[in-house]
Amino acid sequence: GLGFGALVLIALGLGGMSVWSMNAVRKTAHELADMRLPGAKVANEVERKSLHTMFEMRGFAYTGEKRFWDKAREQIAMTKDRLDAAVRDVATQSLAWAATSPRERAELLSRVVADTYEVAEDWAAAACAAKGYSSDSVEGGEELFSGVGTFLRMANAFRQSMIDIIEKGRPQYPGPVRHKPGNRIAIQVVPGSGFDKLLYAGMSGEVWMEPGVSEADVQATQAEAYKNPVEHAGVSLVLGAGNVASLGPRDVLTKLFAEGKVVVLKANPVNDYLVPFWEKAMAALIEPGYLRIVRGGAQVGAYLTHHPLIQDIHVTGSDKTHDAIVFGVGEEGARRKAAGERNSRRTRSAKRA
């Protein structure tokens, strides 16, 4: 009797564990199907259609046959459909993003940090392989810091800013405010932590305000996107940099957490091999539709910069890239620049040499 009862209890326990396991599998399957896959699918479809378009255009250039031209136009139309879907996905979530609290955003950033740690080694290894050096070399260490490290640091800094907003209403200065000659104030920003004091021993950095700007003026303009989130809501296009791979993801964090915009990130073709790692690191932002990542060349970028749902553009590139976006190209672009006729979208540029 006792042995049989024990067997019954064991069977019930195993049955309960099976049910629990199946529920966990069902939850994971739902997450993959309904949350992670849509963003990845859009990115992959955009890349696929872009490559097909390039193939057909090359066929037309080599042969002059109309069938290649017609096929290329068909692929262009399908690429535009996929890009429209990516922009539409985030645009429909812009007000939902505006409604998220600093506490919710801090939780999202905690997950971004955790997910980035999970892919950090593979991210850095892929970047090293693409550039032709070993992960355990000096250059490999530099890649780990400039790529994964700076992204993690920025995510953690934004998370601390969210906590400051929750507890004190605005991000806190890491150092003191000093009064300088010429009716100016300087705010120390480095070192910003105990780690900084070790890393930058004997070094400090200050931001000097314009003459006449008081500390009260500075505080009044801090965290403006959190005072009226709906007013700052919108869709931002980030045209990822090719020189430093982590700049695109860091620009995403700035647009979302500093400026209150949802984001479409177009990866630069130079480093779009890192997109799978970015998608894993920023899955917490992709799943609810606050971020979409797309791939493609200049044609994809040109289409997105004139998309009717894009209200804000951030680009890292040369002055020529900036002018092409703001004014256009060729003789018409030169005429528009001379006349001051700009792209109506708010554009911020970070120039590189």
Side-chain angles (χ1 to χ4, degrees), residues 78-294:
M78 287 190 283
T79 300
K80 289 179 179 179
D81 288 344
R82 299 300 179 183
L83 293 173
D84 289 343
V87 178
R88 189 166 55 248
D89 283 351
V90 297
T92 56
Q93 296 302 316
S94 62
L95 292 180
W97 176 245
T100 59
S101 67
R103 188 174 304 280
E104 291 170 318
R105 296 186 184 191
E107 292 170 356
L108 288 172
L109 285 163
S110 292
R111 186 180 156 194
V112 168
V113 170
D115 288 346
T116 302
Y117 275 119
E118 288 293 320
V119 300
E121 186 174 345
D122 291 338
W123 174 345
C128 288
K131 295 171 184 175
Y133 43 72
S134 172
S135 297
D136 58 6
S137 64
V138 173
E139 293 83 2
E142 181 179 347
E143 184 65 42
L144 181 64
F145 173 76
S146 65
V148 180
T150 54
F151 177 73
L152 279 170
R153 179 180 174 86
M154 192 170 193
N156 275 315
F158 271 123
R159 182 179 178 278
Q160 183 57 51
S161 292
M162 298 302 104
I163 294 171
D164 288 346
I165 292 171
I166 294 167
E167 296 178 349
K168 300 178 181 178
R170 63 176 179 84
Q172 300 299 291
Y173 311 137
V177 178
R178 296 185 175 90
H179 290 270
K180 300 291 184 177
N183 193 25
R184 303 179 75 171
I185 61 170
I187 301 172
Q188 183 177 310
V189 294
V190 176
S193 65
F195 178 76
D196 279 357
K197 291 177 182 178
L198 292 173
L199 187 63
Y200 305 115
M203 299 174 61
S204 64
E206 296 177 326
V207 176
W208 284 45
M209 300 297 125
E210 293 289 334
V213 175
S214 68
E215 186 176 357
D217 294 331
V218 173
Q219 293 180 5
T221 60
Q222 282 188 278
E224 286 189 319
Y226 293 82
K227 296 170 185 175
N228 191 341
V230 174
E231 184 178 298
H232 288 79
V235 181
S236 181
L237 168 65
V238 171
L239 298 173
N243 54 341
V244 179
S246 66
L247 277 178
R250 282 187 276 153
D251 289 338
V252 166
L253 296 183
T254 297
K255 289 297 178 180
L256 280 162
F257 294 95
E259 300 182 21
K261 303 286 192 292
V262 291
V263 180
V264 175
L265 166 62
K266 192 199 83 67
N268 191 293
V270 172
N271 48 43
D272 66 2
Y273 62 91
L274 292 173
V275 167
F277 306 107
W278 297 347
E279 288 175 337
K280 292 177 182 178
M282 297 186 285
L285 306 173
I286 293 172
E287 290 166 7
Y290 305 142
L291 168 66
R292 287 289 181 264
I293 305 175
V294 301

Side-chain angles (χ1 to χ4, degrees), residues 66-83:
K66 187 176 182 297
R67 62 187 180 92
F68 286 113
W69 174 254
D70 292 339
K71 196 68 176 176
R73 288 174 62 88
E74 179 184 333
Q75 295 295 338
I76 289 171
M78 287 190 283
T79 300
K80 289 179 179 179
D81 288 344
R82 299 300 179 183
L83 293 173

